[in-house]
Amino acid sequence: MLAKIKEFLGMEAKPEELASKEEVEKVAEEKAKPRIGYVHLSGCTGDVMSLSENYDILAELLTNMVEIVYGQTLADVWEMPEMDLVLVEGSVCLQDEHSVKELMEAREKAGLVVAFGSCAATGCFTRYSRGGQQARPDHESFVPIADLVKVDCAIPGCPPSPEIIAKTVVAVINGDMDYLQPMIDLVGYTEACGCDLQYKVVNQALCIGCGTCAMSCQTRALTMTDGRPELTSARCVKCGICYTQCPRSWWPADRIKQDLGL
Amino acid sequence: MVLGTYKEVVTARSTDKEIQKIAQDGGIVSALFCYALDEKLIDGAVVAGPGKDFWKPEPMVAMSSDEILAAAGTKYTFSPNVWMLKKAVRQYGLEKLGTVAIPCQTMGIRKMQSYPFGVRFLADKIALITGIFCMENFPFTSLETLMAKMGVSPELVEKMDIGKGKFWIHTADEVLSLPLKETHGYEQSGCKVCLDYVSELSDVATGSVGSGDGWSTVFTRTDAGETIFKAAVDAGVIETKAVNEGKFGLEMLTKLATQKKEKAMKEIDRRKAMGLPVPYKGSSEKEDPLANV
Ligand SMILES: Cc1cc2nc3c(=O)[nH]c(=O)nc-3n(C[C@H](O)[C@H](O)[C@H](O)COP(=O)(O)OP(=O)(O)OC[C@H]3O[C@@H](n4cnc5c(N)ncnc54)[C@H](O)[C@@H]3O)c2cc1C
Ligand code: SF4
Ligand code: SF4
Ligand code: SF4
């Protein structure tokens, strides 16, 4: 992944230590704008809507920082071109030949594949799909894209917040690997559920009753009872955000101190 | 760095007689929020408000000084304040939000600000985190048991306090205490790996240790925290004096913070050796074993 981002920024010849932040920025400035594609599988377009909610930076982003070379709703292009990075929204329906093919093609043609939003990253609410509906009763099985192709980076969220999308784009352009590391690690987190809080935090003697999980749940599936998260599983869409935001799942101390100037 | 990064540390208290009467220590949390509300630096604050049961707090969005004061005083059990932040922004429509947070809650908020995966348009609305020191916390049932051990029913308790090696309970007409040895086993287990004593990531951090009765130790940490605290001091809402550097001041605070961190580091290493998950690095993986990473 690191090598790929460096390649993408035109720094492949330089050892990591030699490429200072300023240099990376300079390279990013001089380099042709990264070619970004957007592949829309079984998603709701909410993720790309969220991207567009970065009102103050959107015009700058689309005109000066990146080039959108492919994507339904974004570009009138039928043949998938070569891309530096592809944002894949939605999970894949195994019975839909076209979706599977488009994902495979995206993997071939893009330097970096990003699972964009929880459907792509964890399956999210398509985890509940079980077929039996017209007009394609056979369309039954939906999986996160990492089940079929190698994914480089995941941005979960249902949808991901406009801010995390903006922060990620900036980090990619600056080659800020430290910032992206959690998103690289999250690629492996494909079987998400609100019950992870119980399995991976409460059961592991880590919960401190802070309430961050309940705050971040996007469907209000969580409440706090006697200082512990309580899940109403019927409301849970398996987006994985609660566990992702819990301060006891992973802890980016250095980045926080840097952000706060401490 | 056992006390975190800070700009200044002082001993301080609210100059308001009413706050002095009801606050846990120097009333810094309440005084700062009341001042920030009056000056419109925040338009509300999430505090640990009174709940249905005595001494079992409920997070509450306070939008007036009266509501801030109704939540004064320490409750030694969970108040999931972070949970309420979203409600404060979405349902109360607040744009500049303050919150009081023990260190682990501050960690949840700061992580959300740096990595707001699913949390839209909230990170930039947190205007003031007043952090409080914290050695450990107790499940509510533990707290009930401690009160029962001391033979007092919750509705009679006026104040609880931990200090000088004891758990203290004040009622209208007596002061009871329990040696901390007897509270062991009642603490929350998640606290055992906690590496933050003095709310290292807050804007302003305050607690009782290091200052005399009725006074608080205060660290200003971020630029935002320094600005608000100084303004409150200049406005005469908070009075300060030099912190006692000696045995009952910073030395004591440093000692307790170090003890907490050393104990937690041991537990982290022990857990790692057993293959149990813990989000922090082991002592061999980091330069400063006492850093909160
Ligand atoms: C669990 C716990 C452990 C603590 N351990 C220590 C310690 O080891 N050493 C030390 O010096 N200080 C400790 N403190 C802090 C201390 O008890 C006071 O809270 C602090 O000094 C603030 O006093 P004050 O007079 O400025 O606040 P006040 O003006 O009295 O206001 C206190 C504020 O804290 C909020 N609050 C009360 N209980 C909780 C809670 N459980 N969770 C979140 N917010 C709450 C209230 O809503 C109020 O806004 C602890 C506090 C807690 C909650
Ligand atoms: S976010 Fe806080 S309350 Fe929720 S599981 Fe994690 S530690 Fe517990
Ligand atoms: S509980 Fe909420 S945040 Fe957690 S996975 Fe379910 S829907 Fe997502
Ligand atoms: S000791 Fe740490 S984990 Fe426990 S309540 Fe206090 S701040 Fe939270």
Side-chain angles (χ1 to χ4, degrees):
Chain A
M1 172 82 180
L2 175 62
K4 276 191 199 153
I5 286 193
K6 282 201 275 184
E7 195 180 15
F8 156 53
L9 291 167
M11 333 173 351
E12 52 276 42
K14 288 203 168 176
E16 194 183 356
E17 316 74 81
L18 290 180
S20 71
K21 195 162 163 257
E22 290 73 23
E23 271 179 278
V24 174
E25 274 165 5
K26 198 158 140 265
V27 173
E29 249 168 50
E30 288 165 0
K31 255 267 313 171
K33 290 181 272 181
R35 294 161 301 163
I36 304 218
Y38 167 67
V39 165
H40 188 278
L41 300 179
S42 296
C44 68
T45 329
D47 305 315
V48 88
M49 291 288 289
S50 188
L51 179 147
S52 74
E53 279 185 82
N54 282 299
Y55 311 109
D56 39 348
I57 64 160
L58 194 66
E60 165 74 9
L61 180 75
L62 296 182
T63 45
N64 297 325
M65 291 167 79
V66 303
E67 198 182 339
I68 305 282
V69 292
Y70 180 73
Q72 289 165 23
T73 71
L74 297 177
D76 186 16
V77 176
W78 287 86
E79 281 287 306
M80 193 186 289
E82 297 283 319
M83 301 165 286
D84 295 307
L85 181 152
V86 65
L87 298 169
V88 181
E89 168 165 355
S91 59
V92 215
C93 174
L94 296 180
Q95 289 85 14
D96 179 18
E97 219 180 291
H98 181 75
S99 292
V100 174
K101 186 171 153 277
E102 201 182 3
L103 178 62
M104 297 296 182
E105 193 181 351
R107 175 68 280 182
E108 253 168 54
K109 296 201 163 148
L112 302 172
V113 172
V114 179
F116 184 39
S118 285
C119 283
T122 70
C124 204
F125 80 109
T126 65
R127 284 290 193 187
Y128 292 102
S129 303
R130 44 200 294 236
Q133 285 185 328
Q134 288 298 7
R136 290 302 298 263
D138 62 321
H139 281 198
E140 162 174 341
S141 317
F142 294 75
V143 292
I145 62 169
D147 279 13
L148 292 193
V149 296
K150 186 179 169 296
V151 175
D152 299 298
C153 171
I155 315 177
C158 183
S161 71
E163 300 102 304
I164 195 78
I165 299 172
K167 280 166 173 266
T168 309
V169 170
V170 171
V172 167
I173 290 175
N174 288 334
D176 183 349
M177 294 311 298
D178 288 342
Y179 190 74
L180 297 173
Q181 192 57 51
M183 293 177 233
I184 297 169
D185 297 339
L186 281 168
V187 167
Y189 183 45
T190 55
E191 292 184 10
C193 176
C195 51
D196 292 342
L197 300 171
Q198 184 68 29
Y199 293 146
K200 300 183 180 189
V201 189
V202 179
N203 287 170
Q204 303 295 334
L206 289 173
C207 182
I208 29 82
C210 61
T212 309
C213 50
M215 181 270 289
S216 57
C217 176
Q218 295 176 292
T219 66
R220 294 194 210 169
L222 293 168
T223 49
M224 296 295 295
T225 304
D226 293 327
R228 293 293 176 262
E230 185 171 308
L231 176 68
T232 306
S233 42
R235 292 188 75 109
C236 175
V237 296
K238 299 187 186 283
C239 66
I241 283 306
C242 48
Y243 178 68
T244 301
Q245 301 282 181
C246 167
R248 289 290 173 93
S249 57
W250 51 280
W251 176 235
D254 295 336
R255 169 61 55 165
I256 289 170
K257 284 190 185 144
Q258 187 184 321
D259 285 353
L260 290 174
L262 292 178
Chain B
M1 293 288 276
V2 283
L3 301 178
T5 307
Y6 57 90
K7 296 178 190 290
E8 208 185 355
V9 53
V10 292
T11 283
R13 71 170 177 190
S14 163
T15 52
D16 183 322
K17 292 272 176 301
E18 199 199 339
I19 295 184
Q20 285 178 9
K21 216 163 58 206
I22 57 172
Q24 185 73 17
D25 298 303
I28 297 302
V29 179
S30 299
L32 261 188
F33 285 148
C34 289
Y35 172 76
L37 270 177
D38 284 348
E39 295 300 310
K40 306 208 165 23
L41 302 171
I42 57 173
D43 40 27
V46 174
V47 290
K52 284 189 286 298
D53 298 310
F54 285 95
W55 295 98
K56 187 178 185 183
E58 296 272 355
M60 164 177 119
V61 181
M63 294 170 66
S64 67
S65 297
D66 284 347
E67 287 171 314
I68 298 282
L69 298 190
T74 300
K75 295 91 178 173
Y76 286 97
T77 187
F78 318 128
S79 177
N81 290 352
V82 188
W83 182 26
M84 197 51 89
L85 297 178
K86 196 193 246 171
K87 213 176 194 175
V89 170
R90 300 278 197 280
Q91 270 143 283
Y92 291 68
L94 304 187
E95 295 278 337
K96 289 175 288 178
L97 189 58
T99 187
V100 51
I102 46 179
C104 55
Q105 297 178 329
T106 309
M107 289 161 78
I109 300 169
R110 293 307 192 196
K111 177 172 158 181
M112 176 272 286
Q113 289 181 306
S114 285
Y115 285 95
F117 278 107
V119 190
R120 63 203 277 115
F121 300 142
L122 185 63
D124 58 338
K125 307 227 163 43
I126 314 281
L128 173 62
I129 301 182
T130 309
I132 48 187
F133 304 171
C134 179
M135 189 58 87
E136 79 259 299
N137 206 352
F138 298 93
F140 185 63
T141 312
S142 294
L143 199 58
E144 284 182 312
T145 307
L146 297 181
M147 286 188 265
K149 272 191 172 199
M150 293 159 90
V152 54
S153 58
E155 67 274 16
L156 297 178
V157 175
E158 297 198 332
K159 184 174 180 170
M160 292 185 197
D161 198 14
I162 296 179
K164 305 180 184 86
K166 286 187 173 148
F167 188 99
W168 302 89
I169 282 185
H170 300 247
T171 66
D173 37 41
E174 56 184 338
V175 179
L176 306 155
S177 72
L178 197 68
L180 283 186
K181 291 205 290 302
E182 293 193 40
T183 64
H184 294 334
Y186 291 97
E187 307 94 337
Q188 157 173 260
S189 22
C191 296
K192 293 196 175 128
V193 295
C194 177
L195 287 163
D196 188 348
Y197 179 51
V198 287
S199 230
E200 297 178 23
L201 303 174
S202 59
D203 292 307
V204 178
T206 185
S208 66
V209 170
S211 295
D213 285 350
W215 291 79
S216 296
T217 306
V218 182
F219 294 94
T220 50
R221 299 191 183 278
T222 63
D223 292 340
E226 181 182 46
T227 308
I228 289 189
F229 186 73
K230 283 212 160 126
V233 173
D234 288 344
V237 169
I238 289 173
E239 58 181 314
T240 63
K241 54 186 190 185
V243 71
N244 170 357
E245 306 266 349
K247 209 161 135 211
F248 298 106
L250 275 192
E251 243 176 65
M252 165 95 82
L253 195 58
T254 308
K255 190 176 117 198
L256 289 181
T258 309
Q259 276 173 0
K260 172 174 178 174
K261 283 166 174 257
E262 281 173 346
K263 218 164 123 198
M265 210 52 243
K266 235 190 212 161
E267 176 66 9
I268 291 166
D269 288 342
R270 191 183 76 93
R271 287 184 55 109
K272 292 210 167 216
M274 284 196 292
L276 288 170
V278 47
Y280 312 119
K281 291 186 179 144
S283 52
S284 61
E285 299 167 83
K286 55 189 194 181
E287 257 169 65
D288 173 6
L290 302 188
N292 185 19
V293 293

